[in-house]
Amino acid sequence: MTITRFAPSPTGYLHIGNLRTALFNYLIARKSGGQFILRLDDTDPERSKQDYVDAIKTDLEWLGLTWDRVERQSDRLDRYAQAAETLRQAGRFYECFETPTELDLKRKKQLNMGKPPVYDRAALNLSDAERVRLRAERAGHWRFLLEQHRIEWADGILGDISIDAASVSDPVLIRGDGQVLYTLASVVDDIEMGVTHIVRGSDHVTNTATQIQIMQALGGTPPSFAHHSLLTGPQGEALSKRLGTLSLRDLRAQGVEPMALLSLMARLGSSQPVEIRADLAEIAEGFDLSQFGSAPTKFDADDLFPLTARYLQSLPVQAVAADIAALGVPETLAPQFWGVVRDNITTRADMAGWWDLFRDGATPLVDDDDRDFIAQALALLPAPPYSAETWATWTAAVKEATGRKGKSLFMPLRKAVTGREKGPEMADVMALLQQKPGGVA
């Protein structure tokens, strides 16, 4: 069975980059009838907050990315301790005592000598007495001892990958304060939860190499890996400084439709065109990881709004009935209202402005040169109720009385009735007006 996972850290809100990873893993699982695990990387007790856990679940539920089970790494600390002991017994885990300052000085010295800034494994040469003395001064951190040969795998997006372990520092798996780091916790979880496929950002490639060795050292079989490209801004700029404005909760608040967002993210960076899909099952059916490339992928949040508008245009009135009812639109008018406004909104929230207009009228938009004309025209308009024929009847009467025709006739009347220069067909607008348009101040 295919088993995938999404492992966010509950130290902040999900953003568009997180969604890319979550969606890919979700689609792989659902397309194959497998399992999708939500795994909370909450081993940092100071930064992990329940509010963020709740927000992560809310965002995923809003998108329809349902999980088969939830796991919390904070509940599995005993499993990580046991794995650490296994690595110690195998001679693959060693204690180090350098401070951050000392490590920084080592890196700078290596760079100045033209060498890669790789940890020099000095801790392996410490005597037992030296370790005892250093433990009395400071807490030690634990590194995994890499076997210095090439680490290779067939990546689902990047193709064949080969990394020389000698060019990589032995990774720290447990900090001096005892906190288990993601690299170890993730490996243990992936082995014990039977994860078969992992999709994540290309910034994890080196991390994947070290995790493959850790998995093998613990007796596990590495899953299939794929590393998707990282998102950039529309001009190719890094998104890191803008992620605060690209949180899923903010996009939701702006009225972005889930299917617009999912349809875009399931194709962005691939050779397939972006097409609005009706549901996640349809997205999963057409999802193909091999169609994605390695080049950085440009993302523009502004693209979500035309897609949202297109999605809304495809919906029947039943799909928006609750939104329409919440505005106070009579149930008998709902189909007519939706048929008129659906092509003239970008988000669901835009419906409110149109109902305000139909119910209460609009503030007339009248040019100075048209004031007398509008006053004369409105005098020729009877009181409601109006029908789809009212517009044609009224404009014919105004044309005969004023001699105006074409744009000079229709545009001033549209602006006076709706307060806007653009909108639905005026015959449809008139049929929904609940009261006679107001006069000119």
Side-chain angles (χ1 to χ4, degrees), residues 92 94-96 98 103 106 110 118-126 131 143-149 165-171 213:
R92 301 295 297 276
Y94 64 101
E95 193 174 13
C96 305
E98 292 92 349
L103 290 172
K106 284 188 178 186
Q110 288 170 317
V118 176
Y119 178 60
D120 59 10
R121 295 182 165 179
L124 289 174
N125 299 319
L126 294 173
R131 289 191 180 90
R143 290 180 183 268
F144 176 73
L145 184 66
L146 288 167
E147 293 180 346
Q148 294 186 331
H149 56 68
S167 67
V168 181
S169 291
D170 292 338
Q213 277 209 15

Side-chain angles (χ1 to χ4, degrees), residues 81-116:
Q82 183 173 333
E85 185 58 30
T86 298
L87 293 176
R88 287 190 191 94
Q89 294 299 321
R92 301 295 297 276
F93 214 27
Y94 64 101
E95 193 174 13
C96 305
F97 299 92
E98 292 92 349
T99 65
T101 299
E102 290 169 343
L103 290 172
D104 187 53
L105 288 173
K106 284 188 178 186
R107 283 191 291 266
K108 289 179 178 177
K109 183 177 180 180
Q110 288 170 317
L111 289 171
N112 288 336
M113 296 173 64
K115 297 181 179 180

Side-chain angles (χ1 to χ4, degrees), residues 51-372:
D51 286 350
Y52 291 132
V53 172
D54 295 340
I56 287 169
K57 292 180 178 179
T58 296
D59 285 339
L60 294 178
E61 288 169 344
W62 169 61
L63 293 167
L65 302 182
T66 54
W67 50 89
D68 295 292
R69 70 180 198 262
V70 177
E71 300 282 355
R72 298 189 71 138
Q73 292 189 330
S74 58
D75 294 335
R76 294 175 48 78
L77 298 180
D78 60 328
R79 304 301 304 151
Y80 311 142
Q82 183 173 333
E85 185 58 30
T86 298
L87 293 176
R88 287 190 191 94
Q89 294 299 321
R92 301 295 297 276
F93 214 27
Y94 64 101
E95 193 174 13
C96 305
F97 299 92
E98 292 92 349
T99 65
T101 299
E102 290 169 343
L103 290 172
D104 187 53
L105 288 173
K106 284 188 178 186
R107 283 191 291 266
K108 289 179 178 177
K109 183 177 180 180
Q110 288 170 317
L111 289 171
N112 288 336
M113 296 173 64
K115 297 181 179 180
V118 176
Y119 178 60
D120 59 10
R121 295 182 165 179
L124 289 174
N125 299 319
L126 294 173
S127 66
D128 290 342
E130 287 173 321
R131 289 191 180 90
V132 171
R133 176 180 59 79
L134 287 168
R135 286 191 193 112
E137 297 176 2
R138 68 192 74 159
H141 54 275
W142 290 82
R143 290 180 183 268
F144 176 73
L145 184 66
L146 288 167
E147 293 180 346
Q148 294 186 331
H149 56 68
R150 301 201 75 83
I151 304 169
E152 300 177 339
W153 72 93
D155 195 274
I157 293 176
L158 303 178
D160 292 337
I161 300 292
S162 178
I163 291 180
D164 184 359
S167 67
V168 181
S169 291
D170 292 338
V172 175
L173 302 188
I174 300 179
R175 293 194 328 194
D177 61 3
Q179 182 186 329
V180 176
L181 297 184
Y182 169 83
T183 307
L184 175 60
S186 179
V187 163
V188 174
D189 290 346
D190 289 336
I191 293 174
E192 297 188 356
M193 295 176 189
V195 173
T196 61
H197 293 73
I198 296 174
V199 184
R200 53 188 177 186
S202 58
D203 53 336
H204 281 281
V205 167
T206 299
N207 189 43
T208 292
T210 60
Q211 285 188 323
I212 286 175
Q213 277 209 15
I214 299 170
M215 285 181 180
Q216 293 168 337
L218 290 172
T221 301
S224 297
F225 286 98
H227 295 81
H228 61 70
S229 62
L230 299 183
L231 297 178
T232 72
Q235 305 304 318
E237 71 276 19
L239 279 188
S240 56
K241 295 181 179 179
R242 297 184 54 211
L243 287 179
T245 63
L246 294 175
S247 69
L248 301 189
R249 68 202 305 261
D250 287 342
L251 294 175
R252 180 167 69 250
Q254 293 170 45
V256 171
E257 288 289 320
M259 288 311 301
L261 179 55
L262 295 170
S263 295
L264 176 64
M265 298 309 295
R267 292 288 181 87
L268 194 66
S270 77
S271 59
Q272 299 173 299
V274 174
E275 298 174 334
I276 290 290
R277 298 302 187 186
D279 52 41
L280 272 163
E282 191 176 337
I283 290 177
E285 183 180 355
F287 183 73
D288 185 352
L289 202 61
S290 69
Q291 298 295 310
F292 288 83
S294 60
T297 301
K298 293 181 179 180
F299 170 78
D300 189 345
D302 290 342
D303 292 340
L304 293 169
F305 295 97
L307 290 172
T308 288
R310 280 167 48 194
Y311 173 74
L312 291 174
Q313 289 166 12
S314 71
L315 296 180
V317 66
Q318 293 84 355
V320 291
D323 301 281
I324 293 174
L327 297 176
V329 179
E331 186 176 352
T332 55
L333 284 181
Q336 184 181 357
F337 173 78
W338 180 238
V340 171
V341 304
R342 66 195 301 171
D343 293 333
N344 292 276
I345 59 172
T346 299
T347 69
R348 293 177 193 242
D350 295 338
M351 288 192 286
W354 286 110
W355 178 241
D356 288 346
L357 187 159
F358 298 146
R359 182 191 60 213
D360 303 326
T363 300
L365 183 61
V366 182
D367 296 338
D368 289 340
D369 293 344
D370 291 327
R371 289 186 176 275
D372 292 341

